[in-house]
Amino acid sequence: ANQPKSGGIVKLDLPADPQNLNPMFKEVNQQEIVLGGTYLPLLRLEMNEQAGYTGSKILPFVADKWEMSADATQVTFHLRNDVKWQNKPPVNGRAITSEDIKYNLLRFRDEKVSMAKFIVEDVTDVQTPDPYTVKVTMRQPFAPFIPYMAWDKMLFHPKELVDANDLDNNPIGSGPFMLDSFQKGTVTKLRRNPDFFLKDKDGAALPYLDGYDVLKITDPSTAIAAFISKQIDVCGLCLRSDSPSVNTI
């Protein structure tokens, strides 16, 4: 098989701007396309060609292993020691520790706007015995707790952004892409995070892409024209039935 080549900027369309960039209540595709590349959940789902892109196997991510107590009321997560917040102020690339995870779990539980409140509402205690261990205690067992740690509504973010009241406008996570610019009504640009911790099976740095640009295009015919003229590489508004020209590509 051909080896993947690194580099390149992918351009795609989106019919509307994100209303905000706050991961606490990410609920629409416009947010997903930006925040999904910037922030990470604690775990991840296996999603590849073999899994049919709908895999349900839980894989390590920010946490590389975990254990559950016999009565299913306590989960211990062991974090990787090489995961950093993106190298932008106010976090400036500092390591992600158990205190960050504790802060997020309790915030997801306590904030009224949290879309993930129902996942952690039974959490009664979060302990951090060392910088890379998190012990979560729940009032009662919650069967999907571990799968939900891989959900795209459980996106962990730094306390510094909350303290600066900048979570709505300045996404800084630990994901593969960093927000480069957000020009409302025109284009949002994300660029590769050089400190992203994952490697491919051959040890090459991920992601392969240098970044992606999201262009606001509200009219399907405009999107089709942009796709045909190669102004965008991915066209979410293009339907083959809308234009015979799309069928020739």
Side-chain angles (χ1 to χ4, degrees), residues 44-58 150:
R44 63 187 175 118
L45 293 173
E46 180 183 39
M47 298 182 73
N48 52 42
E49 187 174 357
Q50 289 71 33
Y53 298 100
T54 56
S56 58
K57 181 180 179 181
I58 308 297

Side-chain angles (χ1 to χ4, degrees), residues 2-3 11 17 20 39 48 59 62-63 65 81 108 110 119 143 154 170 186 198 201 230 233 241:
N2 294 328
Q3 293 298 314
K11 296 183 178 182
D17 289 314
N20 67 73
Y39 293 107
N48 52 42
L59 298 178
V62 176
K65 56 182 178 177
N81 62 9
F108 282 125
D110 297 337
I119 300 169
M154 292 288 294
N170 186 27
T186 55
L198 280 190
K201 61 183 178 60
K230 299 184 179 180
D233 306 296
S241 58

